Amino acid sequence: MKHLVIVLSLFLISSVAVNAQKYFTKTGHISFYSDTPIEKIEGHNKSSSCVLDLATGKMEFGALVKGFQFEKALMQEHFNENYMESNKFPKATFKGQIDNYKDIVPTKNGKVNVKVSGKLTIHGVTKDVTTDGVVTVNNGKIDADAQFNVLVADYGITVPSLVKDQIAKSVKVKVDVTLEALK
Amino acid sequence: MKKYLLIIALLALIGSVVAYRMYNKPHVETAGSIADVVITPAELLAAYDQDEMKADSMYLDKIVQIEGIILKINEVENGGSISLDTGNPMSSIICEFENKADVANVKVGDQVKVKGFCTGKLMDIVLSRCSL
């Protein structure tokens, strides 16, 4: 009987620990920057979702394409209608893996440089992406930051020759999320 | 000859003014606009859970007005964001505001009326460029 209690409580403790391995946010910030000498364009999405499972290192992101906000209404319109075709492809996703996820200890504050690789889907096209990032543990919350470039042409997005000098061929994508433990 | 030049110059001027104004066309503000749809958070979520494509065709890019209880004030950089209760703990309605000051006077538990552009559903339904 005593053994059973010990086994049960061990089981409980371990299952609590396993539960605490998942971190998420629904208000992550994903932004992108297209810089050319003629025009700087940036879009910000502040309601991106991200789930990180520290038991496996798996990481998933999702963002609504229409959720990207621009300084100018016309940029937003062109982004949605001409380039991203957001009515046809409403979501952008990333499914990947932090290679060195074991270095992240959620109970220990500090910075960890990570390597992330996975599949990025934009405009209905999926490509392999690898990037460096920084994960910061801060009192039980996990900050994840990364920056990488995507080639517009890789994702089947065609830019008319008339405006080709206004839109960068390589767009910088920034990811900045603060994850909380999933209770 | 001089007359033609004048006309051409005038047309060019008008053209560039029109182009400039189109380029700087302002965003449609939800504050002061009449909502296209008035719905409850639970109804909006139910519509998305039932048939996302159909819900998108009905609500996407529309100004949606909803009234609900604030579940959470979300921390975002340069802006405001609140989550409204739908009755389902998995999915809320996230309302994004352009400025932090827009949501400075509300707190968790408050009942608020929000207008925003529906941008679709991820885990939560997102309304952008909201106003209270």
Side-chain angles (χ1 to χ4, degrees):
Chain A
M1 189 59 204
K2 208 172 167 186
H3 284 293
L4 187 68
V5 171
I6 293 169
V7 169
L8 265 180
S9 43
L10 274 177
F11 176 75
L12 267 178
I13 292 164
S14 66
S15 67
V16 167
V18 166
N19 271 338
Q21 297 285 62
K22 274 199 176 152
Y23 289 79
F24 84 110
T25 184
K26 291 168 167 184
T27 50
H29 183 185
I30 294 177
S31 48
F32 72 84
Y33 303 81
S34 155
D35 277 2
T36 66
I38 298 176
E39 194 164 51
K40 284 192 194 319
I41 302 169
E42 54 181 84
H44 294 265
N45 185 316
K46 291 173 189 166
S47 297
S48 310
S49 65
C50 172
V51 181
L52 167 64
D53 186 349
L54 277 186
T56 59
K58 279 203 168 61
M59 199 174 204
E60 281 194 31
F61 286 89
L64 290 166
V65 175
K66 281 188 192 288
F68 281 91
Q69 301 297 324
F70 294 72
E71 185 202 344
K72 294 193 190 302
L74 197 66
M75 288 174 179
Q76 195 158 328
E77 209 174 289
H78 288 172
F79 172 77
N80 280 296
E81 287 168 14
N82 303 357
Y83 305 124
M84 296 292 275
E85 299 179 85
S86 58
N87 279 324
K88 222 157 107 194
F89 309 108
K91 288 166 195 171
T93 58
F94 173 82
K95 288 181 185 173
Q97 171 85 33
I98 298 181
D99 295 343
N100 53 326
Y101 67 94
K102 286 188 173 143
D103 297 343
I104 306 166
V105 183
T107 50
K108 208 173 83 191
N109 284 359
K111 264 187 190 180
V112 181
N113 290 318
V114 294
K115 252 202 158 48
V116 185
S117 49
K119 294 189 181 303
L120 179 64
T121 304
I122 302 173
H123 192 241
V125 178
T126 303
K127 293 266 171 197
D128 287 322
V129 168
T130 312
T131 181
D132 293 326
V134 178
V135 166
T136 312
V137 176
N138 189 4
N139 298 328
K141 287 187 183 179
I142 294 180
D143 271 335
D145 292 301
Q147 199 173 307
F148 56 93
N149 284 287
V150 295
L151 295 174
V152 173
D154 274 359
Y155 293 88
I157 298 166
T158 40
V159 175
S161 55
L162 193 67
V163 291
K164 73 174 191 323
D165 293 333
Q166 266 129 291
I167 294 169
K169 288 181 178 53
S170 172
V171 170
K172 184 168 81 187
V173 178
K174 259 194 201 172
V175 178
D176 174 7
V177 294
T178 304
L179 310 173
E180 290 174 36
L182 189 68
K183 281 168 224 129
Chain B
M1 189 61 203
K2 220 174 168 184
K3 211 161 103 188
Y4 286 123
L5 276 177
L6 199 69
I7 290 170
I8 288 169
L10 206 65
L11 281 177
L13 186 72
I14 291 169
S16 51
V17 168
V18 168
Y20 180 78
R21 291 186 64 159
M22 262 172 66
Y23 176 71
N24 282 300
K25 177 178 78 167
H27 283 281
V28 176
E29 296 298 336
T30 51
S33 295
I34 295 166
D36 299 310
V37 186
V38 178
I39 194 167
T40 68
E43 283 167 356
L44 187 59
L45 181 64
Y48 266 95
D49 282 347
Q50 249 163 39
D51 187 344
E52 191 167 337
M53 292 270 270
K54 192 178 153 206
D56 269 345
S57 71
M58 285 168 74
Y59 303 118
L60 218 51
D61 292 329
K62 298 267 170 35
I63 298 180
V64 173
Q65 179 181 312
I66 55 168
E67 194 168 345
I69 308 273
I70 300 178
L71 268 185
K72 200 176 168 211
I73 312 273
N74 304 308
E75 277 299 320
V76 290
E77 207 185 319
N78 304 322
S81 172
I82 58 175
S83 296
L84 297 185
D85 192 10
T86 58
N88 178 341
M90 291 303 289
S91 306
S92 67
I93 314 273
I94 297 177
C95 306
E96 289 181 0
F97 294 80
E98 289 300 289
N99 304 300
K100 205 165 217 118
D102 295 341
V103 290
N105 296 320
V106 295
K107 55 184 190 305
V108 171
D110 283 359
Q111 171 132 357
V112 289
K113 203 186 268 180
V114 181
K115 270 187 290 187
F117 288 98
C118 182
T119 60
K121 178 171 183 270
L122 218 46
M123 283 196 280
D124 301 50
I125 293 166
V126 180
L127 303 185
S128 65
R129 309 193 86 86
C130 288
S131 58
L132 281 173

PDB file of all heavy atoms in Angstrom, chain A residues 26-48:
ATOM      1  N   LYS A  26      -0.516  33.423 -27.711  1.00  0.00           N
ATOM      2  CA  LYS A  26      -1.436  33.709 -28.808  1.00  0.00           C
ATOM      3  C   LYS A  26      -1.243  35.143 -29.278  1.00  0.00           C
ATOM      4  O   LYS A  26      -1.955  35.615 -30.141  1.00  0.00           O
ATOM      5  CB  LYS A  26      -2.874  33.524 -28.332  1.00  0.00           C
ATOM      6  CG  LYS A  26      -3.213  32.068 -28.045  1.00  0.00           C
ATOM      7  CD  LYS A  26      -4.520  31.974 -27.304  1.00  0.00           C
ATOM      8  CE  LYS A  26      -5.030  30.549 -27.277  1.00  0.00           C
ATOM      9  NZ  LYS A  26      -6.349  30.485 -26.638  1.00  0.00           N
ATOM     10  N   THR A  27      -0.318  35.836 -28.637  1.00  0.00           N
ATOM     11  CA  THR A  27      -0.093  37.239 -29.004  1.00  0.00           C
ATOM     12  C   THR A  27       1.389  37.482 -29.303  1.00  0.00           C
ATOM     13  O   THR A  27       1.997  38.423 -28.821  1.00  0.00           O
ATOM     14  CB  THR A  27      -0.571  38.199 -27.898  1.00  0.00           C
ATOM     15  OG1 THR A  27      -0.010  37.764 -26.648  1.00  0.00           O
ATOM     16  CG2 THR A  27      -2.071  38.212 -27.777  1.00  0.00           C
ATOM     17  N   GLY A  28       1.951  36.590 -30.117  1.00  0.00           N
ATOM     18  CA  GLY A  28       3.339  36.749 -30.527  1.00  0.00           C
ATOM     19  C   GLY A  28       3.474  37.816 -31.609  1.00  0.00           C
ATOM     20  O   GLY A  28       2.530  38.095 -32.340  1.00  0.00           O
ATOM     21  N   HIS A  29       4.663  38.411 -31.682  1.00  0.00           N
ATOM     22  CA  HIS A  29       4.907  39.485 -32.643  1.00  0.00           C
ATOM     23  C   HIS A  29       5.793  38.958 -33.771  1.00  0.00           C
ATOM     24  O   HIS A  29       6.940  38.600 -33.547  1.00  0.00           O
ATOM     25  CB  HIS A  29       5.588  40.646 -31.900  1.00  0.00           C
ATOM     26  CG  HIS A  29       5.823  41.854 -32.758  1.00  0.00           C
ATOM     27  ND1 HIS A  29       6.503  42.954 -32.315  1.00  0.00           N
ATOM     28  CD2 HIS A  29       5.465  42.129 -34.034  1.00  0.00           C
ATOM     29  CE1 HIS A  29       6.544  43.859 -33.284  1.00  0.00           C
ATOM     30  NE2 HIS A  29       5.933  43.376 -34.332  1.00  0.00           N
ATOM     31  N   ILE A  30       5.232  38.915 -34.979  1.00  0.00           N
ATOM     32  CA  ILE A  30       6.023  38.551 -36.149  1.00  0.00           C
ATOM     33  C   ILE A  30       5.988  39.744 -37.096  1.00  0.00           C
ATOM     34  O   ILE A  30       4.930  40.312 -37.357  1.00  0.00           O
ATOM     35  CB  ILE A  30       5.455  37.292 -36.839  1.00  0.00           C
ATOM     36  CG1 ILE A  30       5.615  36.080 -35.903  1.00  0.00           C
ATOM     37  CG2 ILE A  30       6.179  37.030 -38.160  1.00  0.00           C
ATOM     38  CD1 ILE A  30       5.029  34.806 -36.441  1.00  0.00           C
ATOM     39  N   SER A  31       7.148  40.160 -37.561  1.00  0.00           N
ATOM     40  CA  SER A  31       7.182  41.322 -38.441  1.00  0.00           C
ATOM     41  C   SER A  31       8.091  41.031 -39.622  1.00  0.00           C
ATOM     42  O   SER A  31       8.924  40.122 -39.574  1.00  0.00           O
ATOM     43  CB  SER A  31       7.684  42.551 -37.684  1.00  0.00           C
ATOM     44  OG  SER A  31       8.861  42.244 -36.963  1.00  0.00           O
ATOM     45  N   PHE A  32       7.892  41.769 -40.696  1.00  0.00           N
ATOM     46  CA  PHE A  32       8.815  41.609 -41.818  1.00  0.00           C
ATOM     47  C   PHE A  32       9.173  42.965 -42.396  1.00  0.00           C
ATOM     48  O   PHE A  32       8.446  43.944 -42.237  1.00  0.00           O
ATOM     49  CB  PHE A  32       8.248  40.671 -42.884  1.00  0.00           C
ATOM     50  CG  PHE A  32       7.135  41.272 -43.665  1.00  0.00           C
ATOM     51  CD1 PHE A  32       7.404  42.081 -44.751  1.00  0.00           C
ATOM     52  CD2 PHE A  32       5.832  41.032 -43.312  1.00  0.00           C
ATOM     53  CE1 PHE A  32       6.381  42.659 -45.469  1.00  0.00           C
ATOM     54  CE2 PHE A  32       4.791  41.606 -44.013  1.00  0.00           C
ATOM     55  CZ  PHE A  32       5.070  42.423 -45.097  1.00  0.00           C
ATOM     56  N   TYR A  33      10.311  43.002 -43.036  1.00  0.00           N
ATOM     57  CA  TYR A  33      10.875  44.257 -43.502  1.00  0.00           C
ATOM     58  C   TYR A  33      11.373  44.089 -44.924  1.00  0.00           C
ATOM     59  O   TYR A  33      12.156  43.197 -45.210  1.00  0.00           O
ATOM     60  CB  TYR A  33      12.041  44.666 -42.592  1.00  0.00           C
ATOM     61  CG  TYR A  33      11.605  44.781 -41.142  1.00  0.00           C
ATOM     62  CD1 TYR A  33      11.483  43.645 -40.339  1.00  0.00           C
ATOM     63  CD2 TYR A  33      11.276  46.011 -40.601  1.00  0.00           C
ATOM     64  CE1 TYR A  33      11.045  43.737 -39.027  1.00  0.00           C
ATOM     65  CE2 TYR A  33      10.835  46.117 -39.293  1.00  0.00           C
ATOM     66  CZ  TYR A  33      10.724  44.982 -38.509  1.00  0.00           C
ATOM     67  OH  TYR A  33      10.278  45.075 -37.216  1.00  0.00           O
ATOM     68  N   SER A  34      10.870  44.942 -45.798  1.00  0.00           N
ATOM     69  CA  SER A  34      11.337  44.973 -47.178  1.00  0.00           C
ATOM     70  C   SER A  34      11.995  46.326 -47.372  1.00  0.00           C
ATOM     71  O   SER A  34      11.337  47.355 -47.362  1.00  0.00           O
ATOM     72  CB  SER A  34      10.140  44.798 -48.119  1.00  0.00           C
ATOM     73  OG  SER A  34      10.411  45.368 -49.383  1.00  0.00           O
ATOM     74  N   ASP A  35      13.318  46.306 -47.474  1.00  0.00           N
ATOM     75  CA  ASP A  35      14.065  47.557 -47.611  1.00  0.00           C
ATOM     76  C   ASP A  35      14.649  47.692 -49.005  1.00  0.00           C
ATOM     77  O   ASP A  35      15.410  46.836 -49.450  1.00  0.00           O
ATOM     78  CB  ASP A  35      15.227  47.577 -46.605  1.00  0.00           C
ATOM     79  CG  ASP A  35      14.760  48.027 -45.233  1.00  0.00           C
ATOM     80  OD1 ASP A  35      13.545  48.267 -45.089  1.00  0.00           O
ATOM     81  OD2 ASP A  35      15.599  48.137 -44.333  1.00  0.00           O
ATOM     82  N   THR A  36      14.279  48.734 -49.689  1.00  0.00           N
ATOM     83  CA  THR A  36      14.935  49.082 -50.941  1.00  0.00           C
ATOM     84  C   THR A  36      15.251  50.573 -50.857  1.00  0.00           C
ATOM     85  O   THR A  36      14.671  51.275 -50.026  1.00  0.00           O
ATOM     86  CB  THR A  36      14.020  48.838 -52.162  1.00  0.00           C
ATOM     87  OG1 THR A  36      12.913  49.746 -52.085  1.00  0.00           O
ATOM     88  CG2 THR A  36      13.502  47.417 -52.223  1.00  0.00           C
ATOM     89  N   PRO A  37      16.174  51.035 -51.707  1.00  0.00           N
ATOM     90  CA  PRO A  37      16.487  52.473 -51.662  1.00  0.00           C
ATOM     91  C   PRO A  37      15.244  53.336 -51.902  1.00  0.00           C
ATOM     92  O   PRO A  37      15.158  54.462 -51.427  1.00  0.00           O
ATOM     93  CB  PRO A  37      17.492  52.644 -52.798  1.00  0.00           C
ATOM     94  CG  PRO A  37      18.072  51.281 -52.999  1.00  0.00           C
ATOM     95  CD  PRO A  37      17.005  50.296 -52.653  1.00  0.00           C
ATOM     96  N   ILE A  38      14.268  52.820 -52.634  1.00  0.00           N
ATOM     97  CA  ILE A  38      13.088  53.621 -52.979  1.00  0.00           C
ATOM     98  C   ILE A  38      12.053  53.621 -51.858  1.00  0.00           C
ATOM     99  O   ILE A  38      11.448  54.641 -51.545  1.00  0.00           O
ATOM    100  CB  ILE A  38      12.450  53.100 -54.287  1.00  0.00           C
ATOM    101  CG1 ILE A  38      13.454  53.239 -55.428  1.00  0.00           C
ATOM    102  CG2 ILE A  38      11.162  53.855 -54.609  1.00  0.00           C
ATOM    103  CD1 ILE A  38      12.994  52.693 -56.744  1.00  0.00           C
ATOM    104  N   GLU A  39      11.842  52.458 -51.260  1.00  0.00           N
ATOM    105  CA  GLU A  39      10.766  52.371 -50.281  1.00  0.00           C
ATOM    106  C   GLU A  39      11.074  51.350 -49.191  1.00  0.00           C
ATOM    107  O   GLU A  39      11.594  50.282 -49.464  1.00  0.00           O
ATOM    108  CB  GLU A  39       9.469  51.979 -51.000  1.00  0.00           C
ATOM    109  CG  GLU A  39       8.234  52.177 -50.159  1.00  0.00           C
ATOM    110  CD  GLU A  39       6.973  52.156 -51.016  1.00  0.00           C
ATOM    111  OE1 GLU A  39       6.798  51.210 -51.811  1.00  0.00           O
ATOM    112  OE2 GLU A  39       6.174  53.091 -50.896  1.00  0.00           O
ATOM    113  N   LYS A  40      10.737  51.731 -47.965  1.00  0.00           N
ATOM    114  CA  LYS A  40      10.828  50.788 -46.845  1.00  0.00           C
ATOM    115  C   LYS A  40       9.413  50.359 -46.495  1.00  0.00           C
ATOM    116  O   LYS A  40       8.543  51.200 -46.280  1.00  0.00           O
ATOM    117  CB  LYS A  40      11.453  51.473 -45.632  1.00  0.00           C
ATOM    118  CG  LYS A  40      12.958  51.648 -45.728  1.00  0.00           C
ATOM    119  CD  LYS A  40      13.494  52.065 -44.374  1.00  0.00           C
ATOM    120  CE  LYS A  40      14.912  52.595 -44.423  1.00  0.00           C
ATOM    121  NZ  LYS A  40      15.855  51.905 -45.276  1.00  0.00           N
ATOM    122  N   ILE A  41       9.205  49.061 -46.453  1.00  0.00           N
ATOM    123  CA  ILE A  41       7.876  48.548 -46.126  1.00  0.00           C
ATOM    124  C   ILE A  41       8.020  47.614 -44.943  1.00  0.00           C
ATOM    125  O   ILE A  41       8.923  46.773 -44.909  1.00  0.00           O
ATOM    126  CB  ILE A  41       7.270  47.767 -47.325  1.00  0.00           C
ATOM    127  CG1 ILE A  41       7.199  48.676 -48.557  1.00  0.00           C
ATOM    128  CG2 ILE A  41       5.894  47.212 -46.982  1.00  0.00           C
ATOM    129  CD1 ILE A  41       6.867  47.951 -49.838  1.00  0.00           C
ATOM    130  N   GLU A  42       7.176  47.773 -43.931  1.00  0.00           N
ATOM    131  CA  GLU A  42       7.179  46.793 -42.850  1.00  0.00           C
ATOM    132  C   GLU A  42       5.765  46.450 -42.431  1.00  0.00           C
ATOM    133  O   GLU A  42       4.867  47.287 -42.485  1.00  0.00           O
ATOM    134  CB  GLU A  42       8.024  47.275 -41.666  1.00  0.00           C
ATOM    135  CG  GLU A  42       7.661  48.631 -41.113  1.00  0.00           C
ATOM    136  CD  GLU A  42       8.575  49.016 -39.946  1.00  0.00           C
ATOM    137  OE1 GLU A  42       9.676  49.530 -40.212  1.00  0.00           O
ATOM    138  OE2 GLU A  42       8.179  48.790 -38.792  1.00  0.00           O
ATOM    139  N   GLY A  43       5.585  45.205 -42.064  1.00  0.00           N
ATOM    140  CA  GLY A  43       4.282  44.736 -41.607  1.00  0.00           C
ATOM    141  C   GLY A  43       4.453  44.049 -40.272  1.00  0.00           C
ATOM    142  O   GLY A  43       5.454  43.387 -40.029  1.00  0.00           O
ATOM    143  N   HIS A  44       3.474  44.249 -39.397  1.00  0.00           N
ATOM    144  CA  HIS A  44       3.554  43.680 -38.050  1.00  0.00           C
ATOM    145  C   HIS A  44       2.305  42.873 -37.733  1.00  0.00           C
ATOM    146  O   HIS A  44       1.196  43.355 -37.921  1.00  0.00           O
ATOM    147  CB  HIS A  44       3.687  44.805 -37.006  1.00  0.00           C
ATOM    148  CG  HIS A  44       4.963  45.555 -37.131  1.00  0.00           C
ATOM    149  ND1 HIS A  44       6.071  45.248 -36.394  1.00  0.00           N
ATOM    150  CD2 HIS A  44       5.318  46.586 -37.935  1.00  0.00           C
ATOM    151  CE1 HIS A  44       7.060  46.071 -36.733  1.00  0.00           C
ATOM    152  NE2 HIS A  44       6.624  46.892 -37.658  1.00  0.00           N
ATOM    153  N   ASN A  45       2.524  41.672 -37.225  1.00  0.00           N
ATOM    154  CA  ASN A  45       1.407  40.841 -36.760  1.00  0.00           C
ATOM    155  C   ASN A  45       1.613  40.570 -35.275  1.00  0.00           C
ATOM    156  O   ASN A  45       2.608  39.962 -34.882  1.00  0.00           O
ATOM    157  CB  ASN A  45       1.389  39.527 -37.556  1.00  0.00           C
ATOM    158  CG  ASN A  45       0.186  38.673 -37.214  1.00  0.00           C
ATOM    159  OD1 ASN A  45      -0.162  38.519 -36.049  1.00  0.00           O
ATOM    160  ND2 ASN A  45      -0.458  38.134 -38.221  1.00  0.00           N
ATOM    161  N   LYS A  46       0.684  41.043 -34.452  1.00  0.00           N
ATOM    162  CA  LYS A  46       0.853  40.912 -32.998  1.00  0.00           C
ATOM    163  C   LYS A  46      -0.070  39.875 -32.393  1.00  0.00           C
ATOM    164  O   LYS A  46      -0.221  39.805 -31.177  1.00  0.00           O
ATOM    165  CB  LYS A  46       0.618  42.275 -32.345  1.00  0.00           C
ATOM    166  CG  LYS A  46       1.723  43.257 -32.689  1.00  0.00           C
ATOM    167  CD  LYS A  46       1.423  44.651 -32.202  1.00  0.00           C
ATOM    168  CE  LYS A  46       2.437  45.618 -32.768  1.00  0.00           C
ATOM    169  NZ  LYS A  46       1.996  47.003 -32.594  1.00  0.00           N
ATOM    170  N   SER A  47      -0.716  39.088 -33.226  1.00  0.00           N
ATOM    171  CA  SER A  47      -1.574  38.013 -32.706  1.00  0.00           C
ATOM    172  C   SER A  47      -1.167  36.685 -33.318  1.00  0.00           C
ATOM    173  O   SER A  47      -2.008  35.893 -33.730  1.00  0.00           O
ATOM    174  CB  SER A  47      -3.039  38.316 -32.996  1.00  0.00           C
ATOM    175  OG  SER A  47      -3.430  39.489 -32.330  1.00  0.00           O
ATOM    176  N   SER A  48       0.136  36.453 -33.379  1.00  0.00           N
ATOM    177  CA  SER A  48       0.611  35.179 -33.895  1.00  0.00           C
ATOM    178  C   SER A  48       0.639  34.170 -32.764  1.00  0.00           C
ATOM    179  O   SER A  48       0.886  34.528 -31.617  1.00  0.00           O
ATOM    180  CB  SER A  48       2.033  35.324 -34.429  1.00  0.00           C
ATOM    181  OG  SER A  48       2.118  36.419 -35.295  1.00  0.00           O
TER     182      SER A  48
END
